[in-house]
Amino acid sequence: MRFNKTAYITLGLILGAFGLHAQDVKPPEKTEKTLSEEIEIIRPYKPVLAEAVKLRRSPDLDNLKTYKAKFNYQLTDRKLELNTDIQKLQAQKVADERQAPLTNNYVKGGAGNLGTTLAEAYIGMGQDPALQTGVFFRHFSNEGKLNKQNENKQQLSVFARSIGENNTLNGKLNYQRHGLYFYGIDENNPTLNPDPAKQTLNFFELEGEAISKFTSDPDAFSYAAKMNGYFFSDKYSAKEKALTLTGYLNKRISSFNLGLAASAEFGNTKDVATSVSNHLLRLNPYIKLQAGGVKIIAGANITQEFGSNSTTRFFPSVTADFTLIPDFLQIFGEIKGDVNRNTLKDLTDENPFLNQNIFIKNSIEKLSISGGIKGTGGPGFGYKARFYSKEITDMPLFVNSFGSFNKFDVIYDFGKTKILGLEGELTVQVSDNLKWTGKLNMEDYKAGTEKESYFKPQMRLTSNFSFVFNKKLTFDASVALQDDSKAKVFLANPLNPDGSYPPVPDYNNETIVNIKGFVDLGVGASYKINDKISAFARANNILNTNYSKFLYYRQNGFNIFGGLTYSF
């Protein structure tokens, strides 16, 4: 072991000595111009590594240099608000929808055989749904084949409606004119009326109404008020003025309603030999229960007649409605009584061929009972069926005047007239293009002191049919059917010396005449030429039946007319 160590030391000394003499200085070579010396330097070996080799397999995490950025800012003292509620989405305003042009205004004109002329116009103001105003005008006239079988009607109406937050206001100004001749002719004596007299009926009306809007408040208070006044006159001396004030109050208390309906009717009718004031005050307090498909209204109808006669009457007023199958089947019933105020205006609307000096008297509906069913059988199908029984005292009836056979007087059946009736309505709409409606009335009259209830047919049927063939062409049809009725003809003068009818009819001086029933068929069509112009045509009494609604007054035969409608 010592030998090896001595060998290593000796070898090291030899190498060291050799290194001391490793550098030799050579003398420079002699040249002609310069002196140069070459020096050879011998150094230890230093390896040079590539940059990739310098990478460490494990990074040195301790060799970190901290970079401190310099900031220049100011702190603002603000309160921290904690808002954890869900923020509401803000609705974004969309572009205004382009409004469709209005086409509810129109003018219509037409003409046809029998001297038929038609002119009609409607103009509405603006698109504001809360404020509606408009004007309506209509003229219709025709001429029959009989001597002066001429008739014309005109109507001009101006209306306005304002819908507010709490109530709705309505107003109307109306004028109607009806011109005609007393053209009635007796087929057995056709020369009795060589020169028919002319008649003109004028009617002015003003109406205003205020109604509270419906609210779902269980304790809501609602009201309504209405005023209607009119003036009526004919070509001669008959004049009638009337003013009606109506009010309605209702207080809702959960499922109950307490209310009061009241009206005051003031009327005066004058002629050369007559003057009647038949005023009427009516009060109707009630209580209503409405809950769970049941609606019952129980109250009383208190009426006070004053003017030419003064009488106070009390009547029951009860209605009930029970829903057995929602929207499909309901049962309803009613028991009531009332005083019906007869007016010259209502009588001439039913029969315009009235004589002069018509006596006006109220009728008493002592007891009226009705009941039935109603509902729907699905989309586009609806029905209603009702029966009723009435007892009426002093029911007005028309009779031909003894002195002027082509004019009608008004008598009153002062006995109790009993009426049993059945009424049915049906609506069937197969689609938007096909619709049919029908109404049937059947009545059985049992007169009081008179033999018959004159000009009261026991069966009436009306029906309408509409079919849209395409977007341009539409068809419609209608039918009116009426049963036979009775008329009374005097064989001797039935009037008292003062010109009034006796209280008891004299059956020996009168006879009953039968008026045949009739069927009146009508068809029509309209064709839309473009968005503004359309053409129409209408045909009435297609069967060309010479029927009569009143004795001696034959209706026009076949009539057809057509024209154009312009919408804007």
Side-chain angles (χ1 to χ4, degrees), residues 5 18 52 70 100 151 157 190 192 213 218 236 266 306 386 435 463 497 525 531 540 556:
K5 185 181 295 185
F18 177 79
K70 294 182 179 181
E151 185 177 15
S157 299
L192 290 180
K213 297 183 68 175
Y236 303 98
F266 306 94
F306 58 99
R386 181 176 75 99
K435 183 178 181 180
S463 179
D531 293 338
N540 297 316
N556 288 330

Side-chain angles (χ1 to χ4, degrees), residues 43-48:
R43 295 178 298 176
Y45 173 73
K46 293 183 179 181
V48 178

Side-chain angles (χ1 to χ4, degrees), residues 403-415:
S404 301
F405 75 98
N406 58 341
K407 296 181 180 180
F408 292 86
D409 292 329
V410 178
I411 63 174
Y412 296 88
D413 191 345
F414 62 87

